[in-house]
Amino acid sequence: MEYRKLGTTDLDVSALCLGTMTWGKQNTQDEAFAQLDYALERGINFIDAAEMYPVPPETETQGATETMIGNWLTERGCRDQVVIATKIAGPGLSTVREGKGDFSASQLNAAVDDSLKRLQTDYIDLYQ
């Protein structure tokens, strides 16, 4: 696997990033675990998520993708082996944070805190 520096950080990320936008809607947790295991075994260490995933966004499934990643990180004990990127949802999305999706300090803090809880970690490597 080819690795590159993430911007100006000292983080080495795989040239391929594992997208997760269907986990919790089109894919089960067992399938997510299998895909994560498969990717990590092959050197992919860069995982992309978002607070609004899975897509299409629905209130009932919002955050399920991050939860599945968090469950996997906890079960496998491999947080130090992966780089987690996740994102805040933009304004106008009623399924996230009760539709209060602006970029105010309070909403940014709420989004980060909620993602950290779902991911079951105390840090996010790249927040977008």
Side-chain angles (χ1 to χ4, degrees), residues 60-97:
E60 304 77 42
T61 58
Q62 183 270 318
T65 300
E66 288 182 331
T67 298
M68 289 180 182
I69 294 168
N71 291 342
W72 178 78
L73 291 171
T74 298
E75 186 171 306
R76 299 297 193 264
C78 62
R79 178 62 183 97
D80 62 335
Q81 297 175 41
V82 295
V83 176
I84 303 291
T86 196
K87 333 175 206 12
I88 187 171
L93 191 59
S94 63
T95 59
V96 177
R97 285 173 279 112

Side-chain angles (χ1 to χ4, degrees), residues 8 22 40 46 55 62 68-69 71 84 86 91 107 113-114:
T8 59
T22 61
L40 190 60
F46 198 16
V55 295
Q62 183 270 318
M68 289 180 182
I69 294 168
N71 291 342
I84 303 291
T86 196
Q107 286 299 303
D113 288 344
D114 290 346

Side-chain angles (χ1 to χ4, degrees), residues 81-121:
Q81 297 175 41
V82 295
V83 176
I84 303 291
T86 196
K87 333 175 206 12
I88 187 171
L93 191 59
S94 63
T95 59
V96 177
R97 285 173 279 112
E98 300 174 350
K100 299 174 186 158
D102 61 48
F103 295 132
S104 64
S106 65
Q107 286 299 303
L108 283 165
N109 286 329
V112 169
D113 288 344
D114 290 346
S115 287
L116 288 168
K117 287 176 193 160
R118 287 188 295 267
L119 290 165
Q120 301 176 48
T121 187

